[in-house]
Structure formats: C-alpha cells, structure tokens
C-alpha cells in the first residue's frame, strides 16, 4: 500500500473511531476498494462504507438524496453520530472511482427519483427483478372468454353492493402472469387463491402443474393448513385438482449453501405466501426460476416487517408503479370484526395519520389487566365473551406474578406434557406420533413474542425466566424443551424457523419431534441438531409466517430503534383470538408505533 493510501486510510480510521455505528466489515470494504484503486477524496471511503452499512441494515442501497436531508433517520444514527459525516457526500458520489465499468463493485443509479448507490450484487438483483417483471407484463396472457360468468359462479354479490375485492383479485390474476394480493390477517388471501386456482384449472385445456410455497417451514405448514380448510368449504364440483402440500422456497428452488445456480421450474402456476418475508436476492431467484409463461401469485401483508435480509420487495412493488394494476388489496377482515380488540389495535397502529397516539391511549385504557382476568376466565361457562385484548404492566420478568400467567397460557400443553416427564416415583411415558402432534399443536396455542433479543425483556432472558416459571430446564435437553432451527440443515431437511419439541420417543430416549410436510412427525436425535435455540419466547421477526391463539407481545422498558410500527403491527397480528400487551412504559410503545421502517430501494419507482 502506497504512503498516500496509508495516510488517507489513517485519516479515515481516526474519523470512524468517533463512535459511529460502522462495522468492521463496512470499513474493511472501503479500505479494500481504496487499496485496489486509490482515491484522494476521503468522502469516497465514507460512501463505500455507508453503502455496506445500509446493506447490513436491510436496505438495497444508500439513498443519497435522503442522506443529504435526513441522515440520522436514514442511517439509524444519533445526531451526534451523524456529525462525524463529511459534507457534500451526494456530490462526491459522481466522482467515485469504484462505479466505473460493467463489473465495478459499486453502482451509482440516477433517475427521476434521485441518486442511489448500490453494492453490485444488490443492483444486479434489483435489475433482474425489474427486467423479469417487465418481460412478464409484455407477454400475452390467455384469458377465459367466459371469465365474468365463471366469476359469478365462484362469488355471490355482496350484501351492501360494495366492490368484492376477492373477486377483483381473481379477475386480475386470471388476466396477468404476475399478481400481488396483499391484505391483513383474515382478509381472505388464501380463500381467494383457492377460488382462482379452481377457475384456472376448470378453464385450462390440460392439467396444470401448480406449486405452493412460503419462505419458512412454519409458513409453508400454515399455507398447507389454510389451503386444506379453504378446499373443504368449496362445493365438491368446484374444488381444483391441486397439490395439498406447500413447501419452503428453498426446497422449491433447490437452493443450498453449495451453489447459487437456479433451476427453472416445470410449472404453470406458482403461489407464494408470506411474500413480505422474501428478500431481494431470493425474489430475484424466484422470478428467474418461474418461467415467464407461468402465472406467479404473491400473497402477503405489505404492512408487516420486511425480510430479515436486505430488501423490502413486496412493500415496494405494492406501492410502486411497476405493478400498480396487478396489485389488489383485500381490506375486509373475516377474522376480526369491527368490535374486535385485536382488529382495532391493528388498525390504530397502522393508521396512516399524523398522530395515532390518542387512539392507542384509548385502546390501552380499555384493555383490562391480564392477570386480574384469569380467575374470571376460569369460571366462564357457555358463550360469555372474554376480552380479546388485555395488558400487563409488570416491571420485571422475575416478578412471581408472571409465572401465574405463563402457566395459564400454556395450561393445555402442560397438562399433556405432564405424563411424559419423569419424576422420582414414575418414569416418563413414551410419546407416540399422535401425542407429539397434539403437544406441538397445544404448544402453539400461546406464545411470547419480544421486540428485542437482549436486555431485561429480551428473548434470551425471558426464555430462562419461562423455563424457571414452568419448572423446566434443569438439563440442556429435557422433555418439553421447544427449539427453533436457526440455520437451514439440508441433510436433515430442516429449515430456518422450523419448531420442534424434545420428547421421549417410543424407546424412552429423548428426541426432538418436528412436524413433517406430510402431516406426521419426524424424530431427530438432539446430538444431530447443531443450530437450534430454546423458543418459549421468540423475536417478532422469527414469528413471521406463524399464528398463535394467544400472543403475549413484550415491549421493552427502554427505547429501541428496532421497535417500530411494522414490528408492533406484525407482533399483534400473530394473535388469532387473544392478545396481551406487556409494556412497562406506555410511552415506549407509543413512540415505537410512531416510528416507521422505510427501506431504500429502486423497486418502488
């Protein structure tokens, strides 16, 4: 490295040491580029490091216009941290030496929406998505001549004469090779797709090859269940001949850690649920794998958290101009009526207003204390309504009162588990496949969801507190330990997000029972599971694609940048029947609901 390069690197290292959130990877990328092609402008190294920083935070690019006007909000930094940034970074991007040529490591994109700086891999993925969509839109699509008559057979007129958005979604999808169907929980996305598939199957001159998929194993299992339920509600003569099992995107695309090659699918229709979880590069692979002549239907909730990896593809496509006429939003919830507490909280949190604080304060005031309602619930008989939203304001996870609530939440699961736990006088009873399935189903009746991983009310500490409260966890592996797979294991055919329970098998030896795609159980020895973690409590991010009868949503006592409107909305809408909000400080919850996640990218143009 030349003296001038070393001198400039030293200057930058001194500036970066001023408590900026730049990671070692961010700085190393800038230094690497500088060592390969030196620059005499220190702002260039800043731009390279910031582009890497934004990629790590889930952005597809560094939005230079927003960086100039709202740096702290864009980067997630404090005002003191942004004070270390040099001025006129936007202007310096034009002279970046690392954006020149077709294989340059960085790409500077400029259009009517402004200037954006990409890592080459992100720009390539985004361009592939855009070009693939444009190609699909240009291809003619065969439309049944009697489409309206067919739709009349599938849908009855609405009572109030309002537009039937489910019918509209079917109509749009029948006329296009790519369709986005978005809507909150219970708005009928799966029901709509089953009717659409019935329409396509009945009007096709040949048997259609149909594939169902979702980003995680849990989401795929839930799609399978939803499809099966929707099929049983249809008249037998209108049920489409289609696969009943959904699979993960990784299995569908045959992707693994050893190769990035994408195989094109032999398919006519691909339906992908929970599309908001699909990151930028996975969406590019999906579009490459699905033939342009096939129909691709993406289901999801654009208001949920974006993918864990970089990109907010579903949200940007739903709100942008590229697929404006191919996007249908389902509004009416069939799960939460107008008086439902969960529905009211979801609408208030997600309201597109300047200030939703008054509405949230009123809802918080109306919610009774969860622990105070427990004796009442235990004596309720018949159809006496229970409050579907309650609140909890304990200041600490070590509060003894919490154990009462946790034992109540998992009461059915604990009752089933009791016979499979050894005591001083009786050995543990072996667990059959049917019993394992019952235990897995009972466990997911209740769940603790956290905004953060670490801290007093984070996942790590709460898992320990729950184990103690339930009288479990004396050993590393014990009957009843719930675990989540944290990394894809292709040898075991377990995907990131799969949940299993440690139970005594038929021979009494502890194994972990995972639900199989076919509806049964797969037993795996604990020693073979390298990447799992206890999951009494999980982050809201990890819960995407899942549903639980009762959710305890835990809000930290201190402000956190990860606590956003999207996170709160995603967490509370995981609840199907009951929601308990644990917020030691109401102000922290209110501030989180006012904080939005806006990921940078070019697909929303």
């Amino acid at each position: 490295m030349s003296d001038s390069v070393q001198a400039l690197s030293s200057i930058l290292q001194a500036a970066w040491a001023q408590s900026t959130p730049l990671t070692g990877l961010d700085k190393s990328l800038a230094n690497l580029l500088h060592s390969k092609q030196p620059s005499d402008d220190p702002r260039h190294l800043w731009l390279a490091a910031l582009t890497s920083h934004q990629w790590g935070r889930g952005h597809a690019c560094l939005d230079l216009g927003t960086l100039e006007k709202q740096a702290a909000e864009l980067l997630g930094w404090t005002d003191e941290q942004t004070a270390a940034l040099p001025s006129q970074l936007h202007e310096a991007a034009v002279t970046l030496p690392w954006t020149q040529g077709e294989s340059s490591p960085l790409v500077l994109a400029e259009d009517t929406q402004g200037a954006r700086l990409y890592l080459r891999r992100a720009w390539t993925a985004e361009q592939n998505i855009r070009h693939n969509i444009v190609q699909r839109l240009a291809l003619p699509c065969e439309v049944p001549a009697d489409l309206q008559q067919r739709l009349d057979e599938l849908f009855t007129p609405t009572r109030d004469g309002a537009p039937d958005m489910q019918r509209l979604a079917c109509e749009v999808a029948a006329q296009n090779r790519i369709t986005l169907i978005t809507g909150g929980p219970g708005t009928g996305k799966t029901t709509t797709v089953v009717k659409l598939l019935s329409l396509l199957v009945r009007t096709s001159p040949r048997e259609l090859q149909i594939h169902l998929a979702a980003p995680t194993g849990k989401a795929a299992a839930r799609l399978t269940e939803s499809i099966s339920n929707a099929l049983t509600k249809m008249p037998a003569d209108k049920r489409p001949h289609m696969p009943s099992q959904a699979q993960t995107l990784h299995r569908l695309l045959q992707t693994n850690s050893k190769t990035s090659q994408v195989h094109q699918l032999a398919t006519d229709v691909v339906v992908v649920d929970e599309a908001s979880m699909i990151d930028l590069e996975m969406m590019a692979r999906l579009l490459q794998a699905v033939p342009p002549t096939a129909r691709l239907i993406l289901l999801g909730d654009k208001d949920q958290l974006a993918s864990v990896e970089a990109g907010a593809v579903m949200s940007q496509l739903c709100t942008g101009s590229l697929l404006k006429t191919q996007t249908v939003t389902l509004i009416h919830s069939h799960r939460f009526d107008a008086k439902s507490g969960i529905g009211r909280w979801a609408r208030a949190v997600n309201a597109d207003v300047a200030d939703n604080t008054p509405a949230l304060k009123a809802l918080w005031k109306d919610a009774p204390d969860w622990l105070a309602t427990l004796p009442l619930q235990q004596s309720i008989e018949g159809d006496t309504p229970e409050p579907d939203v309650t609140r909890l304001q304990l200041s600490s996870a070590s509060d003894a009162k919490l154990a009462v609530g946790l034992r109540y939440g998992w009461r059915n699961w604990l009752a089933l588990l009791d016979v499979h736990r050894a005591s001083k006088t009786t050995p543990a009873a072996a667990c059959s496949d049917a019993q394992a399935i019952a235990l897995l189903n009972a466990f997911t009746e209740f769940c603790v969801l956290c905004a953060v991983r670490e801290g007093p009310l984070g996942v790590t500490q709460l898992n320990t507190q729950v184990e103690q409260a339930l009288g479990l966890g004396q050993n590393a592996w014990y009957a009843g330990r719930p675990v989540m797979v944290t990394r894809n294991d292709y040898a075991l055919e377990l995907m990131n997000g799969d949940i299993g329970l440690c139970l005594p098998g038929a021979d009494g030896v502890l194994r972990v029972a995972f639900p199989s795609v076919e509806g049964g159980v797969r037993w795996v020895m604990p020693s073979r599971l390298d990447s799992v973690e206890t999951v009494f409590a999980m982050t809201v991010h990890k819960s995407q694609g899942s549903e639980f009868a009762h959710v305890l949503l835990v809000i930290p006592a201190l402000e956190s940048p990860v606590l956003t409107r999207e996170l709160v909305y995603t967490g509370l809408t995981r609840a199907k029947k009951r929601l308990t909000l644990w917020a030691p400080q109401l102000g922290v919850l209110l501030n989180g609901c006012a904080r939005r996640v806006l990921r940078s990218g070019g697909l929303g143009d």
Side-chain angles (χ1 to χ4, degrees):
M1 185 182 293
S2 68
D3 292 342
S4 62
V5 172
Q6 285 184 328
L8 187 54
S9 294
S10 298
I11 294 173
L12 265 295
Q13 292 297 339
W16 285 339
Q18 298 178 19
S19 301
T20 66
L22 292 175
T23 66
L25 180 62
D26 302 332
K27 300 171 187 178
S28 295
L29 172 65
N31 285 325
L32 175 64
L33 296 178
H34 185 50
S35 67
K36 299 294 184 181
Q37 190 174 359
S39 167
D40 57 3
D41 190 340
R43 294 175 300 175
H44 291 162
L45 278 81
W46 274 102
L47 286 168
L50 290 172
T51 303
S52 172
H53 176 71
Q54 290 298 84
W55 173 261
R57 297 181 62 244
H59 294 262
C61 60
L62 174 64
D63 188 318
L64 295 170
T66 306
L67 178 67
E68 184 178 22
K69 300 173 182 177
Q70 298 171 288
E73 182 179 352
L74 176 70
L75 301 175
W77 294 10
T78 65
D79 291 336
E80 291 76 12
Q81 290 167 339
T82 56
L85 294 172
S87 60
Q88 299 180 322
L89 282 169
H90 186 282
E91 289 79 358
V94 180
T95 58
L96 264 172
W98 311 310
T99 60
Q100 309 303 314
E102 295 183 355
S103 59
S104 61
L106 302 180
V107 177
L108 179 62
E110 296 184 90
D111 51 35
T112 57
Q113 302 299 315
R116 299 181 296 273
L117 189 59
Y118 291 82
L119 298 177
R120 169 67 62 174
R121 61 184 290 188
W123 185 83
T124 299
E126 194 172 274
Q127 291 303 303
N128 287 343
I129 292 172
R130 181 180 293 277
H131 292 159
N132 191 291
I133 290 175
V134 170
Q135 180 186 20
R136 291 174 189 277
L137 296 178
L139 290 173
C141 188
E142 296 181 7
V143 181
D146 57 349
L147 176 59
Q148 295 304 320
Q149 179 182 341
R150 298 281 188 176
L151 291 172
D152 289 339
E153 296 173 357
L154 290 170
F155 296 92
T156 56
T158 58
R159 295 180 180 178
D160 57 2
D164 188 335
M165 301 307 292
Q166 291 189 21
R167 175 182 173 130
L168 177 61
C170 276
E171 183 177 358
V172 170
Q175 301 177 78
N176 290 279
R177 298 195 182 278
I178 181 169
T179 307
L180 307 182
I181 302 177
T182 180
T187 52
K189 296 186 290 293
T190 306
T191 301
T192 301
V193 163
V194 170
K195 291 185 176 181
L196 168 64
L197 295 177
S198 174
L199 171 68
L200 297 177
V201 167
R202 295 175 68 193
T203 57
S204 175
R206 58 182 177 80
E207 182 177 344
L208 296 179
Q209 295 296 316
I210 300 172
H211 291 83
L212 309 174
T216 67
K218 188 66 176 179
R222 195 161 66 83
L223 176 59
T224 297
E225 180 183 4
S226 299
I227 291 285
S228 298
N229 292 338
L231 284 172
T232 58
K233 295 177 182 178
M234 292 185 69
D237 61 332
K238 295 182 180 179
R239 293 176 191 170
H241 178 69
M242 55 177 284
S244 59
Q245 299 291 334
Q247 56 189 312
T248 65
L249 277 178
H250 286 87
R251 287 195 180 102
L252 175 70
L253 304 180
Q254 300 179 26
T255 58
N256 57 54
S257 57
K258 296 180 180 179
T259 177
S260 58
Q261 184 178 1
V262 178
H263 303 275
Q264 194 163 82
L265 298 169
T267 187
D268 299 298
V269 183
V270 175
V271 177
V272 183
D273 197 13
E274 297 292 347
S276 64
M277 298 172 64
I278 305 177
D279 63 78
L280 190 68
E281 294 184 314
M282 178 62 83
M283 184 65 79
R285 288 195 289 270
L286 172 64
L287 288 168
Q288 185 180 347
V290 178
T293 54
R295 280 184 171 87
L296 175 61
I297 300 146
L298 301 176
L299 311 177
D301 187 344
K302 65 179 177 58
D303 298 314
Q304 282 187 24
L305 282 168
S307 58
V308 176
E309 303 297 330
V313 183
M314 181 72 174
S315 176
Q316 290 176 4
L317 290 177
C318 284
T319 56
S321 59
L322 187 60
L323 288 173
K324 184 176 181 179
T325 59
Q326 289 77 29
T327 300
V328 180
T329 302
L330 306 182
I331 301 173
H332 177 67
S333 176
H334 301 275
R335 181 185 304 167
F336 308 127
D337 60 33
K339 298 181 180 179
S340 160
I342 298 175
R344 290 168 64 198
W345 268 93
R347 289 191 296 273
V349 168
N350 209 32
D352 188 16
V353 296
D355 184 10
N356 57 6
T357 298
L360 294 173
K361 282 185 175 180
L363 289 172
W364 178 263
K365 183 179 179 181
D366 290 342
D369 180 83
W370 179 38
L371 298 181
T373 66
L374 296 188
L376 173 65
Q377 292 168 354
Q378 290 171 335
S379 63
I380 285 178
E381 296 180 358
D383 297 325
T384 305
E386 299 180 14
D388 66 331
V389 176
T390 52
R391 55 188 167 97
L392 183 64
Q393 284 185 275
L394 300 180
S395 60
S396 171
S398 60
D399 194 309
K401 297 178 183 177
L402 179 61
V404 177
L406 295 173
R407 285 187 167 277
Y408 180 80
W410 274 301
R411 61 195 181 281
N412 295 330
W413 177 67
L414 289 171
L416 293 175
L417 178 65
D418 191 55
V419 298
H420 302 291
R421 296 176 60 198
S423 68
K424 294 181 179 179
T425 57
T426 58
C431 191
S432 66
D433 285 9
Q435 289 172 321
I437 293 172
L439 280 159
L440 283 162
N441 291 335
F443 179 73
T444 56
E445 290 177 359
F446 179 71
C447 185
V448 179
L449 299 184
C450 303
V452 296
R453 285 197 60 85
E454 305 300 332
L457 293 181
V459 165
T460 302
Q461 178 167 325
L462 274 172
N463 270 314
T464 300
Q465 296 295 140
V466 172
E467 284 181 329
Q468 294 174 354
L470 301 182
L472 302 171
Q474 289 82 3
N475 300 305
W477 288 98
Y478 53 86
R481 183 191 175 192
V483 294
M484 174 182 282
V485 177
T486 58
R487 187 173 60 188
N488 294 340
D489 189 324
Y490 297 95
L492 295 176
E493 296 187 348
L494 293 174
M495 297 293 114
N496 185 5
D498 288 353
I499 293 179
L501 279 176
C502 183
L503 298 165
D507 56 1
V509 177
L510 287 177
R511 291 180 173 84
V512 181
F514 289 94
S516 67
V517 177
E518 297 77 19
V521 174
R522 296 174 56 235
W523 297 89
V524 181
M525 291 295 294
S527 58
R528 299 191 65 190
L529 297 172
D530 296 327
S531 302
V532 295
E533 60 184 26
T534 303
V535 71
F536 285 108
M538 71 177 80
T539 61
V540 174
H541 277 89
K542 288 287 189 180
S543 74
Q544 287 182 272
S546 301
E547 286 183 342
F548 308 92
H550 184 182
V551 165
L552 173 60
L553 179 58
V554 185
I555 307 299
L558 301 176
E559 296 285 354
S560 172
V562 304
L563 183 62
T564 63
R565 176 181 300 188
E566 289 81 2
L567 184 141
V568 175
Y569 172 78
T570 302
L572 65 89
T573 54
R574 298 310 88 203
K576 295 172 62 176
K577 298 179 180 178
R578 302 205 57 221
L579 167 71
T580 300
L581 286 160
W582 181 3
Q585 300 294 332
L586 177 59
V588 174
L589 171 61
L590 298 176
N591 291 340
C593 292
R595 189 181 297 117
R596 303 217 62 175
V597 175
L598 297 175
R599 288 190 172 180
S600 303
L603 292 174
D605 298 346

